[in-house]
């Protein structure tokens, strides 16, 4: 009885690996290569629609809560996805300087009053400070003493 012809031999395996590597290098393995030029005017024309829809959604949020991200995170996510989508439709990368400028303008419109409060740092009381300084100094001196003592008594250890 005759064995069926094999479709693949182990000698062809390196050739197959080179072929797959070539496909991946050329971008045929699922990678998207942008070949067209960015249409900046189209992108700048479409981005205000994203800002307008974000503005409409932000009207639902009390303006006193505009600095609390948890109140509008979904609206902001929709806004960023919209700007990314419009930039991609115009064959532009996202983020790009023009889109960032637009997003910065929206931030100035809605979040200009959201300043972070600076934390005022102050030293702990002297008793605690002295303790925090003396403990590592004492431990360091004790470890140095122990190492020197052990090195002089190496015959016993």
């Amino acid at each position: 009885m005759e064995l069926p012809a094999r479709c693949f031999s182990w000698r062809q395996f390196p050739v197959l690996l080179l072929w797959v590597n070539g496909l991946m290098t050329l971008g045929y393995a699922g990678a998207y290569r942008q070949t067209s030029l960015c249409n900046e005017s189209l992108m700048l024309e479409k981005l205000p629609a994203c800002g307008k829809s974000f503005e409409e959604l932000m009207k639902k949020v009390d303006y006193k809560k505009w600095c609390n991200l948890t109140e509008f995170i979904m609206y902001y996510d929709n806004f960023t996805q919209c700007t990314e989508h419009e930039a991609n439709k115009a064959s532009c990368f996202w983020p790009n300087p023009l889109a960032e400028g637009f997003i910065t303008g929206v931030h100035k419109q809605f979040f200009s009053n959201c300043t972070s409060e600076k934390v005022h740092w102050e030293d702990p009381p002297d008793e605690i400070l002295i303790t925090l300084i003396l403990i590592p100094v004492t431990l360091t001196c004790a470890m140095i003493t122990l190492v020197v003592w052990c090195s002089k008594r190496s015959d016993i250890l």
Side-chain angles (χ1 to χ4, degrees), residues 24-35:
M24 292 178 74
T25 304
L26 291 174
Y28 295 124
Y32 173 74
R33 185 183 301 192
Q34 188 169 355
T35 56

Side-chain angles (χ1 to χ4, degrees), residues 65-112:
K65 296 182 180 180
W66 280 2
C67 295
N68 185 358
L69 186 61
T70 58
E71 295 290 329
F72 62 88
I73 188 68
M74 293 301 294
Y75 304 151
Y76 192 80
D77 182 53
N78 290 340
F79 170 68
T80 55
Q81 286 182 9
C82 178
T83 57
E84 183 175 5
H85 177 71
E86 294 301 336
N88 288 335
K89 275 180 29 181
S91 300
C92 300
F93 287 105
W94 187 92
N96 59 55
L98 293 174
E100 286 177 358
F102 176 76
I103 293 169
T104 301
V106 170
H107 277 227
K108 286 179 182 176
Q109 178 183 353
F110 289 100
F111 312 121
S112 61

Side-chain angles (χ1 to χ4, degrees), residues 45-77:
E45 182 181 312
K46 298 291 184 178
L47 285 181
C50 299
K52 188 69 174 166
S53 72
F54 181 69
E55 184 177 345
E56 293 298 319
L57 292 171
M58 286 299 285
K59 286 180 182 177
K60 297 177 182 178
V61 179
D62 183 21
Y63 76 93
K64 294 176 185 174
K65 296 182 180 180
W66 280 2
C67 295
N68 185 358
L69 186 61
T70 58
E71 295 290 329
F72 62 88
I73 188 68
M74 293 301 294
Y75 304 151
Y76 192 80
D77 182 53

